[in-house]
Amino acid sequence: QVQLVESGGGSVQAGGSLKLSCDASRYIFSGCGMGWSRQAPGAERELVASISSDGTTSYADSVKGRFTISQDNTKKMLYLQMNSLKTEDTAVYYCAVLFEDSSLICTPQLWGQGTQVTVSS
């Protein structure tokens, strides 16, 4: 059973902020990195932010400049600070563990149960 526990989701008006947290104590040093994926209704799950084992961060263009991923290795927690939220950010957000796939590309392969983020206009 995957033990990644997300928290911090909720409802916010456009322009507001939320901070998501993920208890990743079992996995934070397991793969090639950690990340946050999201899935909106009717859409595929997409990786929006990741942090590699050497601390390098990467963001989807849709969230660049607004979202910040970070991790606390002592507390074994992963975070996603989301600012200037837009209605199109509405989705279920999943904490993810990244592993190298058959092509040696670091991809999300384990996810938590998710936390709902709803942004209203």
Side-chain angles (χ1 to χ4, degrees):
Q1 184 175 357
V2 176
Q3 294 182 347
L4 291 165
V5 182
E6 302 95 339
S7 61
S11 297
V12 64
Q13 288 194 322
S17 298
L18 283 174
K19 185 174 184 177
L20 305 183
S21 301
C22 174
D23 182 348
S25 55
R26 284 191 62 183
Y27 303 101
I28 200 159
F29 300 120
S30 295
C32 53
M34 299 289 297
W36 289 94
S37 296
R38 71 184 181 187
Q39 188 167 20
E44 293 187 358
R45 190 173 299 185
E46 61 170 340
L47 182 67
V48 296
S50 64
I51 182 166
S52 67
S53 53
D54 67 1
T56 302
T57 58
S58 180
Y59 299 93
D61 288 343
S62 57
V63 307
K64 201 171 293 183
R66 300 187 298 119
F67 289 12
T68 303
I69 188 171
S70 61
Q71 68 181 44
D72 185 324
N73 291 337
T74 301
K75 295 181 180 178
K76 298 183 179 180
M77 295 287 291
L78 182 72
Y79 304 101
L80 185 68
Q81 177 67 48
M82 305 185 294
N83 298 328
S84 302
L85 283 161
K86 304 176 180 180
T87 55
E88 52 263 43
D89 294 319
T90 295
V92 178
Y93 284 72
Y94 300 88
C95 178
V97 186
L98 281 63
F99 295 93
E100 288 186 350
D101 62 16
S102 57
S103 301
L104 302 182
I105 297 172
C106 202
T107 59
Q109 297 183 33
L110 286 177
W111 295 269
Q113 293 300 304
T115 185
Q116 176 70 45
V117 171
T118 302
V119 185
S120 59
S121 58

